[in-house]
Amino acid sequence: MLKVENVSKSFKKRLVLQDINLTVDAGELVHISGINGSGKSTLFKIIAKLLAPDQGKVTLGSDDYLGALIENPGFLEYESGLSNLAFLAKLNQHYDEGKIRQLMQRFSLDPDDPQAIKNYSIGMRQKVGIIQAVMEDQTIILLDEPTRGIDQEGIGQFTELCHELTSSGKSIVVASHDTIAEMKYDRQLHLENGVLHE
Amino acid sequence: MLPTKTKRHYYYWLIGIFLMGILASANALLTFDPQDKKDVLNVYLYPHMLSLYLQSFVLIISGKEIMNFTTVKPYISLRGGDNDIGARLWTAVILNAAALFLGIFIPYIVVGWSWFTLGSWQLGTALIVLHIVVMLVLSTLLLGIYYQAHPYLQILAAIMLNLVFHYMIENQLLVKYSIYFDQLWRDIHLYSH
């Protein structure tokens, strides 16, 4: 379970998040919409502990493991997609090559493609970003603008994966400025002027 | 742990830096003025080649190697891997500096010239150690690129500090080692004819 309590964040004098409260239960699929710059990515970075809030706190369940696709995923640019994913998974001994290969194939990426990730298209990079967020059986998954640059077929594969993951008890929070028609969200929230509305 | 291509990249640069040190050192020895005094500090520390060109180059390469990881840092942090990657990057930049100094000093050992002929060996050794330590400290400071923003500014700062040390501190310390490195003394005794 993910619990965000009274989180606020400002950059200089600009208030980006104002007293945010959010609880995501196991198996829930939540959508946070909001225009560009509304603070969605900031909220995700705070949840992922990449950014400290000015006030408030974020709590995860004791058995929870967080996965996240942060906006504009960056990688080791000289390495292939598989090498990048293997590198990240090995960081905390969660490397399962079979699973990574299966996820790549599912997203129509060739795991044996030796080309460097710097030559990947935006959509392909985005798919690798999604895979790294789920490949280690993460229980809470944050996906920031996950379908950016992904083709229609890829969006279908992504939607199917999200529904599969939530069916198996994983929690997913998707932040995007637009809606993905095929997604069946349990809850839709809207972030505007730093305030999260139901 | 590190992927193959990234590792290979580091090894290539390590070998490249070592060879660059060997070549620069060999060139310094081959073109050394026969009228000049054979002393390790006179060959490497007093001239600007090592500090101005070679060390600046190594600091840039080390900075670029660290920058390779800054884009993927959010995913590393998420997995609690910052300390591990930080330690590996530190090892890489320290090895770069070590490769340079090995490359520089090996040819001097090979030619068999005496090390300290212009001053005491104790002070001479201390100056070499200080020079190496400064480079190691500056290389370590480059790790800030991984943890903070403004990578190019940090590389520039490391290069500037390296030059400030060489031109403003080391040159003064060299005079303490031997009057031979005093500019006024040199102007009177070496260049007056």
Side-chain angles (χ1 to χ4, degrees):
Chain A
M1 188 191 72
L2 165 68
K3 197 168 187 181
V4 178
E5 292 172 276
N6 309 108
V7 164
S8 295
K9 180 73 185 174
S10 302
F11 291 112
K12 292 184 181 165
K13 285 182 179 172
R14 189 173 158 249
L15 186 64
V16 179
L17 298 175
Q18 192 180 341
D19 203 27
I20 301 287
N21 287 286
L22 171 69
T23 303
V24 182
D25 293 319
E28 241 192 321
L29 179 56
V30 178
H31 181 228
I32 299 177
S33 62
I35 58 169
N36 296 330
S38 60
K40 305 184 296 292
S41 302
T42 305
L43 177 60
F44 274 14
K45 283 177 187 166
I46 289 172
I47 295 172
K49 298 198 184 334
L50 300 174
L51 202 61
D54 295 338
Q55 63 178 59
K57 63 173 185 175
V58 175
T59 322
L60 299 181
S62 55
D63 295 330
D64 281 326
Y65 176 36
L66 191 77
L69 164 69
I70 309 295
E71 205 179 16
N72 301 326
F75 298 101
L76 294 172
E77 298 295 328
Y78 296 106
E79 300 290 344
S80 68
L82 180 64
S83 293
N84 266 286
L85 293 168
F87 163 66
L88 291 173
K90 282 176 186 171
L91 281 173
N92 44 18
Q93 282 83 46
H94 284 164
Y95 180 51
D96 179 349
E97 186 174 333
K99 182 163 188 184
I100 294 174
R101 283 179 169 275
Q102 178 248 315
L103 280 165
M104 288 184 84
Q105 280 157 353
R106 184 172 181 165
F107 276 104
S108 312
L109 295 171
D110 178 6
D112 297 311
D113 181 359
Q115 75 167 316
I117 207 162
K118 67 177 176 179
N119 298 324
Y120 277 27
S121 68
I122 295 172
M124 289 165 80
R125 291 173 74 92
Q126 199 73 1
K127 287 175 179 179
V128 176
I130 293 169
I131 292 169
Q132 67 76 32
V134 303
M135 67 183 175
E136 297 153 71
D137 279 327
Q138 288 95 331
T139 52
I140 294 170
I141 300 150
L142 310 175
L143 302 168
D144 190 5
E145 303 286 358
T147 54
R148 197 173 64 96
I150 296 186
D151 53 48
Q152 203 52 47
E153 189 192 337
I155 291 174
Q157 292 156 342
F158 167 70
T159 311
E160 199 181 281
L161 177 69
C162 284
H163 291 144
E164 251 175 55
L165 290 170
T166 47
S167 304
S168 62
K170 313 271 169 67
S171 312
I172 302 180
V173 186
V174 175
S176 63
H177 62 276
D178 53 4
T179 51
I180 305 161
E182 298 93 329
M183 287 285 249
K184 294 181 178 65
Y185 294 110
D186 297 308
R187 250 186 317 151
Q188 300 223 39
L189 308 169
H190 185 66
L191 192 57
E192 193 177 8
N193 298 326
V195 181
L196 194 61
H197 303 279
E198 284 279 347
Chain B
M1 155 79 82
L2 294 183
T4 327
K5 272 190 202 167
T6 306
K7 228 187 275 181
R8 208 184 302 149
H9 228 80
Y10 284 155
Y11 290 144
Y12 287 160
W13 273 117
L14 200 59
I15 294 165
I17 289 168
F18 175 70
L19 292 177
M20 183 184 74
I22 292 263
L23 287 174
S25 182
N27 180 60
L29 292 168
L30 290 170
T31 57
F32 192 73
D33 184 352
Q35 306 298 317
D36 212 347
K37 304 285 185 193
K38 289 175 179 174
D39 182 293
V40 71
L41 303 187
N42 194 25
V43 177
Y44 301 121
L45 263 57
Y46 181 69
H48 306 310
M49 172 200 66
L50 176 61
S51 294
L52 181 61
Y53 301 113
L54 301 182
Q55 287 179 199
S56 298
F57 180 75
V58 171
L59 287 169
I60 291 170
I61 295 303
S62 293
K64 290 290 284 177
E65 286 178 346
I66 297 170
M67 278 169 69
N68 286 341
F69 283 84
T70 53
T71 49
V72 75
K73 184 178 182 296
Y75 297 141
I76 296 171
S77 303
L78 205 60
R79 291 166 171 84
D82 280 336
N83 288 344
D84 190 10
I85 295 300
R88 281 166 200 274
L89 290 174
W90 183 76
T91 308
V93 297
I94 293 299
L95 284 177
N96 283 347
L100 174 68
F101 290 122
L102 267 180
I104 286 289
F105 290 119
I106 282 176
Y108 199 85
I109 296 166
V110 170
V111 294
W113 291 359
S114 297
W115 280 58
F116 307 106
T117 57
L118 294 167
S120 78
W121 68 267
Q122 291 95 331
L123 191 52
T125 307
L127 282 172
I128 289 178
V129 169
L130 179 65
H131 187 94
I132 293 172
V133 166
V134 167
M135 181 61 179
L136 296 181
V137 168
L138 291 174
S139 299
T140 302
L141 287 179
L142 282 178
L143 278 180
I145 292 171
Y146 180 72
Y147 293 101
Q148 298 149 17
H150 314 302
Y152 292 107
L153 205 63
Q154 295 201 45
I155 294 173
L156 187 67
I159 291 171
M160 294 308 291
L161 286 171
N162 173 44
L163 298 182
V164 164
F165 170 73
H166 173 65
Y167 285 100
M168 301 181 76
I169 300 170
E170 192 170 53
N171 277 359
Q172 298 298 316
L173 294 175
L174 280 169
V175 177
K176 305 256 185 239
Y177 169 73
S178 169
I179 193 71
Y180 188 79
F181 297 114
D182 180 72
Q183 197 54 52
L184 182 63
W185 187 93
R186 292 175 77 90
D187 288 344
I188 295 167
H189 293 87
L190 302 180
Y191 310 127
S192 57
H193 304 297

